[in-house]
Protein backbone atom coordinates (compact mmCIF):
# COMPACT_ATOMS: atom_id res chain seq x y z
CA UNK A 1 0.00 0.00 0.00
CA UNK A 2 1.44 3.36 -1.03
CA UNK A 3 1.58 6.15 1.40
CA UNK A 4 0.20 9.60 0.53
CA UNK A 5 2.99 12.10 0.11
CA UNK A 6 2.01 15.75 -0.31
CA UNK A 7 3.75 17.76 -3.00
CA UNK A 8 6.56 19.98 -1.96
CA UNK A 9 6.30 23.72 -2.49
CA UNK A 10 8.70 23.46 -5.44
CA UNK A 11 6.61 20.68 -7.02
CA UNK A 12 3.46 22.78 -6.58
CA UNK A 13 5.13 25.77 -8.24
CA UNK A 14 6.36 23.62 -11.14
CA UNK A 15 2.87 22.18 -11.60
CA UNK A 16 1.36 25.67 -11.60
CA UNK A 17 3.88 26.85 -14.19
CA UNK A 18 3.11 23.83 -16.38
CA UNK A 19 -0.63 24.45 -16.13
CA UNK A 20 -0.21 28.15 -16.98
CA UNK A 21 1.98 27.26 -19.97
CA UNK A 22 -0.74 24.94 -21.26
CA UNK A 23 -3.27 27.76 -21.18
CA UNK A 24 -0.93 30.20 -22.90
CA UNK A 25 0.10 27.66 -25.52
CA UNK A 26 -3.42 26.80 -26.62
CA UNK A 27 -3.74 27.79 -30.27
CA UNK A 28 -6.75 30.08 -29.97
CA UNK A 29 -5.47 31.82 -26.86
CA UNK A 30 -2.02 32.31 -28.37
CA UNK A 31 -3.40 33.54 -31.72
CA UNK A 32 -6.11 35.80 -30.29
CA UNK A 33 -4.35 37.30 -27.28
CA UNK A 34 -0.63 36.67 -27.00
CA UNK A 35 0.50 37.44 -30.55
CA UNK A 36 -1.52 40.64 -31.15
CA UNK A 37 -0.93 42.08 -27.69
CA UNK A 38 2.81 41.32 -27.82
CA UNK A 39 2.94 43.13 -31.17
CA UNK A 40 1.08 46.07 -29.65
CA UNK A 41 3.63 46.26 -26.82
CA UNK A 42 6.46 45.66 -29.31
CA UNK A 43 7.80 42.67 -27.40
CA UNK A 44 8.09 38.99 -28.29
CA UNK A 45 5.21 36.61 -27.53
CA UNK A 46 7.54 34.79 -25.15
CA UNK A 47 8.15 37.99 -23.19
CA UNK A 48 4.41 38.63 -22.92
CA UNK A 49 3.82 35.04 -21.80
CA UNK A 50 6.42 35.51 -19.07
CA UNK A 51 4.70 38.71 -17.90
CA UNK A 52 1.29 37.03 -17.87
CA UNK A 53 2.58 34.01 -15.97
CA UNK A 54 4.18 36.22 -13.32
CA UNK A 55 1.24 38.59 -12.90
CA UNK A 56 -1.87 36.42 -13.29
CA UNK A 57 -3.18 33.48 -11.33
CA UNK A 58 -4.83 30.48 -12.99
CA UNK A 59 -8.39 31.78 -12.92
CA UNK A 60 -7.32 35.17 -14.30
CA UNK A 61 -5.39 33.48 -17.10
CA UNK A 62 -8.35 31.29 -18.01
CA UNK A 63 -10.71 34.27 -18.05
CA UNK A 64 -8.52 36.67 -20.00
CA UNK A 65 -9.41 35.50 -23.53
CA UNK A 66 -13.13 36.32 -23.24
CA UNK A 67 -12.29 39.59 -21.46
CA UNK A 68 -9.78 40.46 -24.18
CA UNK A 69 -12.36 39.77 -26.89
CA UNK A 70 -15.10 41.75 -25.17
CA UNK A 71 -12.77 44.70 -24.57
CA UNK A 72 -11.98 45.18 -28.26
CA UNK A 73 -15.14 47.18 -28.90
CA UNK A 74 -14.68 49.36 -25.81
CA UNK A 75 -11.02 50.02 -26.58
CA UNK A 76 -11.58 50.93 -30.22
CA UNK A 77 -14.44 53.23 -29.26
CA UNK A 78 -12.16 55.00 -26.78
CA UNK A 79 -9.54 55.39 -29.50
CA UNK A 80 -12.14 56.81 -31.89
CA UNK A 81 -13.36 59.18 -29.17
CA UNK A 82 -9.82 60.48 -28.82
CA UNK A 83 -8.87 60.53 -32.52
CA UNK A 84 -12.00 62.45 -33.55
CA UNK A 85 -11.66 64.79 -30.57
CA UNK A 86 -15.17 63.90 -29.48
CA UNK A 87 -14.11 64.78 -25.96
CA UNK A 88 -13.97 68.41 -27.09
CA UNK A 89 -17.05 68.35 -29.28
CA UNK A 90 -19.23 66.46 -26.82
CA UNK A 91 -17.78 66.79 -23.35
CA UNK A 92 -16.33 70.32 -23.47
CA UNK A 93 -18.20 72.36 -26.09
CA UNK A 94 -21.49 70.42 -26.05
CA UNK A 95 -21.74 70.63 -29.85
CA UNK A 96 -22.61 66.93 -29.97
CA UNK A 97 -24.86 65.02 -27.62
CA UNK A 98 -23.65 61.89 -25.84
CA UNK A 99 -25.98 59.87 -28.08
CA UNK A 100 -24.57 61.41 -31.27
CA UNK A 101 -21.04 60.78 -30.08
CA UNK A 102 -21.88 57.18 -29.21
CA UNK A 103 -23.52 56.62 -32.62
CA UNK A 104 -20.42 57.91 -34.41
CA UNK A 105 -18.11 55.68 -32.38
CA UNK A 106 -20.33 52.63 -32.82
CA UNK A 107 -20.57 53.09 -36.60
CA UNK A 108 -16.81 53.40 -37.06
CA UNK A 109 -16.02 50.58 -34.63
CA UNK A 110 -18.47 48.30 -36.45
CA UNK A 111 -16.75 49.04 -39.77
CA UNK A 112 -13.35 48.21 -38.32
CA UNK A 113 -14.28 45.13 -36.29
CA UNK A 114 -17.01 43.54 -38.39
CA UNK A 115 -16.28 44.73 -41.91
CA UNK A 116 -12.47 44.61 -41.53
CA UNK A 117 -12.08 48.15 -42.82
CA UNK A 118 -8.62 49.54 -42.03
CA UNK A 119 -8.79 51.78 -38.98
CA UNK A 120 -7.11 54.73 -40.71
CA UNK A 121 -9.59 54.64 -43.58
CA UNK A 122 -12.57 54.27 -41.23
CA UNK A 123 -11.43 57.17 -39.05
CA UNK A 124 -10.80 59.36 -42.11
CA UNK A 125 -14.29 58.67 -43.46
CA UNK A 126 -15.74 59.13 -39.98
CA UNK A 127 -14.05 62.52 -39.70
CA UNK A 128 -15.58 63.58 -43.05
CA UNK A 129 -19.04 62.39 -41.97
CA UNK A 130 -18.64 64.18 -38.66
CA UNK A 131 -17.74 67.44 -40.39
CA UNK A 132 -20.70 67.11 -42.77
CA UNK A 133 -23.03 66.59 -39.81
CA UNK A 134 -21.56 69.59 -37.97
CA UNK A 135 -21.96 71.83 -41.05
CA UNK A 136 -25.71 71.11 -41.34
Amino acid sequence: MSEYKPNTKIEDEELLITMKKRILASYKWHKDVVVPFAAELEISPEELEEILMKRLDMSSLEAINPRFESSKLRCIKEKIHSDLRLCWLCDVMNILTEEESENIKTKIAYEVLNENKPYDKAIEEGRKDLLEDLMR
Side-chain angles (χ1 to χ4, degrees):
M1 190 169 184
S2 68
E3 198 174 302
Y4 171 73
K5 178 182 166 199
N7 291 339
T8 65
K9 184 174 181 170
I10 292 172
E11 289 172 329
D12 285 343
E13 287 175 14
E14 288 173 358
L15 179 60
L16 183 61
I17 289 169
T18 300
M19 291 167 50
K20 285 181 174 183
K21 284 182 179 180
R22 285 182 188 151
I23 292 170
L24 291 171
S26 73
Y27 174 75
K28 193 72 172 149
W29 212 100
H30 192 78
K31 178 180 157 268
D32 290 350
V33 178
V34 173
V35 171
F37 203 62
E40 185 69 30
L41 294 174
E42 298 179 356
I43 60 176
S44 72
E46 293 77 18
E47 290 171 309
L48 179 61
E49 288 174 358
E50 187 177 325
I51 291 168
L52 295 172
M53 287 179 53
K54 284 181 188 175
R55 301 236 174 212
L56 299 176
D57 61 19
M58 284 296 294
S59 62
S60 295
L61 268 178
E62 289 174 339
I64 204 166
N65 194 3
R67 281 187 283 165
F68 187 78
E69 287 299 316
S70 67
S71 72
K72 282 182 181 178
L73 178 62
R74 189 190 82 221
C75 290
I76 199 164
K77 286 171 100 174
E78 287 178 11
K79 183 171 173 51
I80 294 164
H81 190 83
S82 175
D83 288 347
L84 290 182
R85 307 297 190 257
L86 296 175
C87 46
W88 294 346
L89 297 170
C90 181
D91 305 338
V92 176
M93 294 186 276
N94 294 319
I95 292 173
L96 293 175
T97 66
E98 291 268 340
E99 184 179 344
E100 290 169 323
S101 175
E102 187 62 30
N103 289 341
I104 291 166
K105 293 184 290 189
T106 300
K107 178 183 180 285
I108 296 170
Y110 177 83
E111 291 172 351
V112 172
L113 294 175
N114 295 344
E115 297 175 7
N116 295 319
K117 184 182 278 190
Y119 179 82
D120 291 340
K121 183 175 180 173
I123 204 74
E124 180 182 320
E125 291 173 5
R127 186 172 281 115
K128 287 177 186 175
D129 292 345
L130 172 61
L131 185 57
E132 285 177 18
D133 288 345
L134 291 173
M135 298 299 281
R136 289 186 201 160

